[in-house]
Amino acid sequence: MNALEHMPEIGRVVQVLRGKEEGSYAVIVGLVDEKFVLIADGDKRRFDQPKKKNVLHLAMQPVVSHEVTDSMRETGRVTNAKLRFAIQRAAQGKGD
């Protein structure tokens, strides 16, 4: 495993290690700075109201959803359904 594989980036699936959503999965939808990212899961935490999380409180998964990445690049947003789909695929152990 190289260090780049676990870099915070838009579209990366993460597992929450701290807080109320501990143990749940989400997708990075924004980068605040080197310490914080914005995450959403498309369900309890929608794209319109992402949660700001410290990257130290997240376990970076080896899955990056290209659907989410492409959608963010093209339109600046992503549907909640795409977020849920990305998390579901990651949970099944499938990449994009």
Side-chain angles (χ1 to χ4, degrees), residues 20 38-39 41 60:
K20 283 190 296 211
L38 299 174
I39 62 169
D41 65 9
M60 303 292 156

Side-chain angles (χ1 to χ4, degrees), residues 20-47:
K20 283 190 296 211
E21 293 106 12
E22 185 175 330
S24 66
Y25 288 85
V27 179
I28 296 177
V29 295
L31 304 173
V32 179
D33 55 31
E34 61 275 355
K35 282 189 173 169
F36 291 95
V37 294
L38 299 174
I39 62 169
D41 65 9
D43 185 19
K44 292 189 257 337
R45 180 60 68 178
R46 300 224 178 257
F47 174 78

Side-chain angles (χ1 to χ4, degrees), residues 34-74:
E34 61 275 355
K35 282 189 173 169
F36 291 95
V37 294
L38 299 174
I39 62 169
D41 65 9
D43 185 19
K44 292 189 257 337
R45 180 60 68 178
R46 300 224 178 257
F47 174 78
D48 294 330
Q49 296 189 318
K51 174 88 175 141
K52 182 177 172 185
K53 288 295 276 186
N54 186 323
V55 294
L56 297 176
H57 297 168
L58 300 171
M60 303 292 156
Q61 302 301 302
V63 178
V64 176
S65 170
H66 298 294
E67 282 188 345
V68 173
T69 310
D70 294 345
S71 182
M72 290 291 289
R73 186 172 49 242
E74 290 163 17

